[in-house]
Amino acid sequence: PFCQELAVTLNREVKPALDEMGVKLVAIGIGTPSRGGEFCEHTGFPAANLYSDPDNQVYSALQMNAGVFQTFFRPETPLALAQRVVEGRAKDLS
């Protein structure tokens, strides 16, 4: 759900400012183009701005964290969830 929230927030709050500056926002998602399309339909993120990485090559090359245990089960997660609720941003998690 956090990648969905991030996509919603980027599309709503960051992309318009970047568009005004002539800068294209680009996101890279792990998965097939078909799943990327479903993600865009669900979140409203523009499909033209999402590139699919079915083999996880970009994450691997950048040595980014992937997987629920490295990204979700962290001490910061409950606090971040509570903050979203307090700020009225929990709807972005759906």
Side-chain angles (χ1 to χ4, degrees):
F2 293 109
C3 58
Q4 295 172 17
E5 179 192 11
L6 180 58
V8 168
T9 301
L10 287 172
N11 191 42
R12 180 181 57 219
E13 299 175 13
V14 177
K15 186 178 178 302
L18 293 176
D19 288 346
E20 285 183 23
M21 294 184 285
V23 176
K24 182 178 180 179
L25 173 67
V26 174
I28 301 169
I30 298 172
T32 65
S34 174
R35 292 290 291 155
E38 292 172 15
F39 177 83
C40 289
E41 286 177 23
H42 179 72
T43 62
F45 193 83
N49 297 71
L50 180 67
Y51 293 86
S52 297
D53 182 15
D55 300 319
N56 199 26
Q57 293 178 356
V58 174
Y59 263 63
S60 296
L62 297 175
Q63 299 178 348
M64 296 178 72
N65 291 333
V68 143
F69 289 105
Q70 291 181 340
T71 59
F72 187 74
F73 292 110
R74 300 177 53 88
E76 300 90 352
T77 301
L79 297 174
L81 287 171
Q83 183 176 1
R84 284 174 177 82
V85 171
V86 168
E87 293 174 355
R89 295 186 298 130
K91 66 183 180 303
D92 291 342
L93 294 172
S94 60

